[in-house]
Each structure stands twice: as structure tokens, then as C-alpha cells.
């Protein structure tokens, strides 16, 4: 292949592998494979595929959201047209697909390998469906905002935990618990990120600046505020892209609506559900400890 293409993918892969936010999350498939009786070696193609798809979809998400700040982070300065980023992300998707076809060569049963490949295609269609709704809708009621969050974040992590375990077992009850752990971790990640954003702790463009009405805090505020306060918030959000004082005022209205407390309560619900699913599984102490730590790291009580 032409190095002018492959060399453009290398920085994205290198950034992904060294990103301090990713290592613990990217190990979920391997942890669950080991927990179910497998090995890290068996799970290697699956983990690589998940990482490549994570990076590809993050890149596409930033392109669709016009988030050039994030693109510069991944693209080492981002000196080429955005259209090239789209083509790079497509290449990463096909690399991920190729990795999944190596599962049998790493000692996995053909039936389990086929099931994992099928699950990847099915789940990522659901992720794309969530992204489509996110792009299509200007505003969304709270229930729809949760549907988008489940599709874009929850299912992503559920795929990692379920697939890792599926390499070793086809027990539906066991796999359901692994799926629930991943789903809850994915939702906790989004809640954690939303609360960081709400409190102004994120270095990227905030949902308030981007007037992302589908973010959970904003959707909650519009769900509970009276009509006058809704109009006030909508006006502030429309000005927030260029006016820092309007952004601060919008942030204050959202916090006063109780959005932070609401998300903290939801986070506790999902953490409890993840721990309950974990308690139903039998696994080595090391893997149980690592999954427990994943859940504990996403506690949000100090952020409210």
C-alpha cells in the first residue's frame, strides 16, 4: 500500500495506544476473556479490533461535530483536509475487521469467533443509529437523550465485555451479566464526562458552547424547568458559542435545575447494577478486582 496513506494512519494508532484516558477501558475485553477462563493472547485480535474501532468512530464523531480541537489532538497538528480524516477512519474500520478474522488463528473456537464478528457488526450498526439520531435531532426529550447515550457509549462498552467473555462461553445467563457490566460502565463514563463538562473541567469545547441540546444535563434541564426558564436557557445557549458570560450563565441555570444531582443519582444506580451483575459471576480474584476498580473509578459523588 502507498505510504502516503498508511503513514497517515500511524499517528492515530500511536496516539490511541498512548492516550492516558484509554488503557483501563481498552482492557475490558481482555479482562472479561480472562475472567471467563481464557487468556490475553486469545483475546488480542478482539482487543485490537475494539481499539481500532474506538479510534475510528471517535474520529468520525469529531468530524461530524466539527470538533477541530480534538482532530488536532489526534492528528499531530491537523494540517490536512478533514476529508482525509474521514478516509483514514474508514481504513481503521477495515483494519479492525481484518483483526477479527484472526480470532481462530489465536486459538478461539470457530463458533465463538463467528459470534463475536456478528456481534461487532450488529452493535456498531446500533452505535451508528445513535449517532444518526444525535446528528438528525436539534433537540431531544430526556428519554431520547438517554437512548442516544446508551447507543453511543453504553453499547460500546457492553460489546467489549460481552465479546471477551463470549470467546470462552456461550452460556446466555453468564453473558447477560458481562453485557450488563459493560453497559453500565459505558453509561457511567458518559455521566462522568457530562459532569466534568458541566463543571467546566474539560479542556475540549463544552456541550454548552456547542449548544448540544442532546447532552444529558441540558436535556434534563429542559425537561424540568418552567417555560420562562426554558426560554432563558435557550437564549443563553444560543449566545454561549461566542459569549463566555452567557456560557457561565447557562451553566448556572443547568446546575440550578438539579441536573448534577440527577446524574449523580443515575450514576449510583448504574454502579449498583454493575456491581450486582459482577456478584453473579464466578471468576479469579484478580479479574474481579480489576472490574470492581473500573466501576469505582467512575464515582461522581465528589463532582456534585
Amino acid at each position: 500500500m502507498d505510504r502516503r496513506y498508511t503513514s497517515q494512519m500511524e499517528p492515530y494508532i500511536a496516539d490511541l495506544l498512548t492516550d492516558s484516558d484509554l488503557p483501563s477501558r481498552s482492557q475490558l475485553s481482555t479482562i472479561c476473556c480472562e475472567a471467563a477462563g481464557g487468556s490475553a493472547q486469545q483475546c488480542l485480535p478482539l482487543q485490537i479490533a475494539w481499539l481500532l474501532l474506538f479510534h475510528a468512530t471517535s474520529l468520525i464523531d469529531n468530524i461530524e461535530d466539527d470538533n477541530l480541537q480534538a482532530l488536532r489532538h489526534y492528528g499531530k497538528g491537523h494540517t490536512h483536509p478533514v476529508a482525509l480524516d474521514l478516509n483514514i477512519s474508514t481504513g481503521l474500520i477495515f483494519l479492525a475487521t481484518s483483526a477479527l478474522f484472526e480470532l481462530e488463528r489465536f486459538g478461539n473456537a470457530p463458533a465463538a469467533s463467528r459470534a463475536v464478528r456478528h456481534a461487532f457488526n450488529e452493535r456498531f450498526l446500533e452505535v451508528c443509529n445513535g449517532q444518526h439520531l444525535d446528528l438528525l435531532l436539534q433537540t431531544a426529550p430526556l428519554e431520547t437523550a438517554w437512548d442516544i447515550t446508551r447507543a453511543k457509549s453504553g453499547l460500546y462498552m457492553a460489546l467489549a465485555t460481552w465479546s471477551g467473555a463470549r470467546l470462552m462461553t456461550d452460556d446466555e445467563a453468564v453473558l447477560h451479566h458481562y453485557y450488563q457490566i459493560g453497559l453500565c460502565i459505558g453509561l457511567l463514563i458518559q455521566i462522568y464526562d457530562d459532569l466534568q463538562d458541566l463543571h467546566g473541567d474539560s479542556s475540549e469545547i463544552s456541550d454548552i458552547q456547542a449548544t448540544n441540546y442532546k447532552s444529558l444535563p441540558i436535556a434534563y434541564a429542559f425537561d424540568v424547568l418552567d417555560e420562562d426558564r426554558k426560554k432563558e436557557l435557550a437564549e443563553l445557549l444560543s449566545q454561549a458559542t461566542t459569549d463566555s458570560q452567557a456560557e457561565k450563565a447557562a451553566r448556572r441555570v443547568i446546575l440550578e435545575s438539579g441536573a448534577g444531582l440527577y446524574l449523580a443519582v443515575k450514576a449510583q444506580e448504574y454502579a449498583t447494577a454493575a456491581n450486582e451483575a459482577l456478584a453473579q459471576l464466578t471468576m479469579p480474584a484478580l479479574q474481579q478486582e480489576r472490574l470492581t476498580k473500573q466501576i469505582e473509578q467512575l464515582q461522581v459523588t465528589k463532582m456534585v
Side-chain angles (χ1 to χ4, degrees):
M1 293 183 68
D2 195 312
R3 282 290 297 163
R4 285 172 293 184
Y5 179 48
T6 58
S7 64
Q8 290 295 310
M9 285 193 281
E10 288 169 1
Y12 291 79
I13 297 169
D15 261 6
L16 178 65
L17 296 176
T18 58
D19 191 322
S20 61
D21 291 334
L22 288 177
S24 62
R25 300 178 194 176
S26 68
Q27 292 289 324
L28 275 173
S29 57
T30 300
I31 294 170
C32 292
C33 181
E34 292 175 330
S39 68
Q41 180 72 7
Q42 279 179 277
C43 196
L44 186 60
L46 170 57
Q47 182 177 326
I48 289 172
W50 189 91
L51 283 166
L52 289 169
L53 285 169
F54 183 95
H55 195 45
T57 53
S58 295
L59 184 55
I60 292 169
D61 194 35
N62 286 324
I63 293 168
E64 291 173 338
D65 291 346
D66 198 24
N67 191 349
L68 291 179
Q69 183 175 342
L71 287 174
R72 290 190 187 98
H73 167 69
Y74 284 116
K76 302 291 187 181
H78 198 262
T79 57
H80 53 258
V82 170
L84 289 183
D85 288 306
L86 185 60
N87 193 48
I88 290 165
S89 68
T90 305
L92 294 174
I93 291 170
F94 281 106
L95 279 175
T97 302
S98 297
L100 289 174
F101 277 96
E102 297 295 315
L103 283 167
E104 288 91 339
R105 196 163 67 84
F106 279 71
N108 295 290
S113 300
R114 288 193 298 270
V116 166
R117 286 191 287 268
H118 178 76
F120 261 73
N121 288 333
E122 197 172 62
R123 292 291 84 75
F124 271 97
L125 278 174
E126 293 183 69
V127 172
C128 291
N129 180 68
Q131 177 68 355
H132 190 77
L133 287 177
D134 197 9
L135 292 166
L136 184 66
L137 301 174
Q138 292 288 66
T139 61
L142 184 59
E143 183 177 350
T144 302
W146 275 113
D147 289 340
I148 292 170
T149 300
R150 287 187 187 93
K152 292 181 62 177
S153 185
L155 293 183
Y156 223 119
M157 297 301 162
L159 177 63
T161 53
W162 182 92
S163 296
R166 180 62 184 87
L167 291 177
M168 301 310 302
T169 181
D170 60 0
D171 186 312
E172 291 187 8
V174 169
L175 290 171
H176 172 74
H177 295 312
Y178 278 105
Y179 182 91
Q180 285 299 118
I181 292 168
L183 180 69
C184 291
I185 287 175
L187 292 169
L188 284 168
I189 288 169
Q190 188 58 57
I191 291 171
Y192 187 93
D193 290 346
D194 280 349
L195 284 173
Q196 266 197 324
D197 182 86
L198 184 58
H199 289 284
D201 298 329
S202 174
S203 60
E204 296 183 3
I205 296 173
S206 72
D207 287 331
I208 295 171
Q209 289 173 300
T211 60
N212 179 9
Y213 288 78
K214 285 90 65 182
S215 77
L216 293 172
I218 294 177
Y220 176 82
F222 277 109
D223 192 62
V224 300
L225 291 173
D226 62 38
E227 289 303 317
D228 288 341
R229 291 287 271 173
K230 286 180 185 178
K231 290 178 183 178
E232 178 188 358
L233 178 57
E235 180 63 25
L236 289 169
L237 288 170
S238 70
Q239 300 170 13
T241 53
T242 57
D243 185 341
S244 61
Q245 293 304 311
E247 182 197 1
K248 290 178 182 178
R251 200 181 299 277
R252 185 171 60 252
V253 172
I254 295 167
L255 285 168
E256 289 173 355
S257 76
L261 181 59
Y262 166 74
L263 288 178
V265 170
K266 297 298 291 185
Q268 186 58 53
E269 288 180 12
Y270 290 123
T272 299
N275 282 316
E276 287 176 350
L278 182 57
Q280 297 299 314
L281 296 168
T282 301
M283 65 180 67
L286 176 60
Q287 280 69 40
Q288 185 170 27
E289 180 183 343
R290 293 180 72 184
L291 287 171
T292 300
K293 186 176 180 181
Q294 291 271 338
I295 299 164
E296 289 176 349
Q297 286 176 340
L298 294 166
Q299 295 297 313
V300 300
T301 51
K302 295 180 180 178
M303 300 172 64
V304 179

